[in-house]
Amino acid sequence: MMRVEASALAVLLGQWHPESGPAHRALSEALQRLIVDGRLALGVKLPSERTLAETLRVSRTTTATAYRNLVASGFLQTNSRTRAVVTLPATALDTLRPHCVADVIDFSSASPAAPGELIHAAFRAALDYMPRHFAGNGYERAGVGELRRAIADRYRQRGLPTGPDQIMVTHGAQHALALVTHELLPRNGRVVIEHPTYPNAIRVFLDRSARIIPISVAEGWDAERFSAANRSADLTYLIPEFQNPTGLTMGEDVRRSMRLSSPTIVDETLLDVEAGLHPFSPVTPLAAYHRQVVTIGSLSKSVWGGLRVGWVRAGTELIDRLVRSRNLFDLGNPVLEQLAAVELIAGGRTRDEGPRLARHCALNALGTALSTQLPDATYSIPAGGVGLWVRLAEPVSTRLANTAPDHGLLLAAGPRYGVGGAFERHLRLPFTLPENELRDGVDRLAGLYSEVLAGRTGHHPPSSIA
Ligand SMILES: Cc1ncc(COP(=O)(O)O)c(C=O)c1O
């Protein structure tokens, strides 16, 4: 069972101290907010009352009473011998149930529907090709040669010489991120992240009890600050193309002037997910400038999340280590899926014009709906990615996410994209849904926003983000 260490919990809690009223109440409310909006996942074990009290520099009575409050309201379970475990009150689950069947618009996830014909064609070709693999035993721990070559060729075309032995195929970028992190990040190590960043990456780092060093990218990447932080970090995590959630892309000058002397994971999951009227000018992969960079990629956003095909590009020695450590969890990807991925990657289908223009139109539809329904919200229009990082006039993001299911809407609160309770004024809204759903969703959001400003709150389990 996953546990969160006291130091990591202190980072998540941020500024929780009360301006007035008892500290135990402020602490239990702050913990409840973390549970309700998903930053503390269900089933996670909390630190002992004593350790948390020492870390937060409060009395043991404060943490014990805060935990007791949460047990009483159904947000924690305890027994005398084990640590407190995060749970949800039965009433919260009951209120969610009707929404599972009603027409719910999911703004918490930003993942495109499948391009059906393209995927069918890729799997048909893969099935015809597959008998060439039947003489082997099918365990391709690093990935089938054809796919490793196709991925390496793509890096070469982007100006980054790469051999197939520098590639390991994974079950998507999340799998790649978890494997590389477990290999490179010591327990309690220091991790530099862009702030905001992809929430499931934060979870991977917290699972290693990492000390997180957030660096703002509100104005883009400050090469000096990232370079200085990287020098004393064990790991740095960057999303240089269409950054999730801001949509920003790191310019060529910043890529060149960054100094990355310690291990850095560059997540290129969104690389091909352009949303402009015209193709984006290619930018040099960060790994072409910096030897320390380990790159991860995926077909989830450029084609479809259901393919579950991703990869790691690294030096051959690290790839060998990753292949060995992967054995603990699984013994490779299915051959058929990998051969279908070859069709898509070698055929250049991850950068088709049709989906790019569809994203462009959806982005415009979302922007138009926002300017009419939520005119106080502000955002920059990205050249690609899957969502808009919207700044609200009021800091009510968590309350919106908690109440949204009552309006047939799922939202991921802004603070899930950061640490220390930041981004209460932000929401990431996806433009991966059909235009009519985007308009309906913004309608519901506007109604919800007025209700929340009028004082309503709700209790719903957090939705998972992708
Ligand atoms: C930046 C980033 N990295 C990784 C992932 C996970 O990708 P996959 O579905 O390939 O595991 C996502 C999904 O949203 C993402 O946005």
Side-chain angles (χ1 to χ4, degrees), residues 430-466:
F431 51 84
T432 43
L433 292 170
E435 290 178 33
N436 61 329
E437 282 188 40
L438 290 174
R439 280 189 287 269
D440 271 6
V442 174
D443 252 8
R444 294 178 196 191
L445 176 60
L448 164 66
Y449 189 63
S450 322
E451 281 201 15
V452 163
L453 289 191
R456 232 173 80 62
T457 55
H459 259 347
H460 290 280
S463 26
S464 58
I465 295 180

Side-chain angles (χ1 to χ4, degrees), residues 274-278 353-367 381-385 431 435:
E274 299 181 25
L277 200 49
H278 305 290
E353 184 181 51
R356 185 187 83 234
L357 295 177
R359 282 190 287 270
H360 182 70
C361 295
L363 177 53
N364 281 339
L366 178 61
I381 299 193
F431 51 84
E435 290 178 33

Side-chain angles (χ1 to χ4, degrees), residues 171-174 198 237 239 244 267 269-270 298 300-301 308 466:
H171 301 284
Q174 184 67 28
Y198 172 53
Y237 172 69
I239 312 171
N244 187 357
D267 185 341
T269 297
L270 294 151
S298 168
S300 292
K301 302 289 170 171
R308 307 310 308 142

Side-chain angles (χ1 to χ4, degrees), residues 69 101 130 132 167 250 269 291 338 377 437 451 456:
N69 293 345
V101 287
M130 194 153 81
R132 297 187 201 192
I167 304 293
M250 189 187 288
T269 297
R291 268 177 27 85
Q338 295 187 72
E437 282 188 40
E451 281 201 15
R456 232 173 80 62

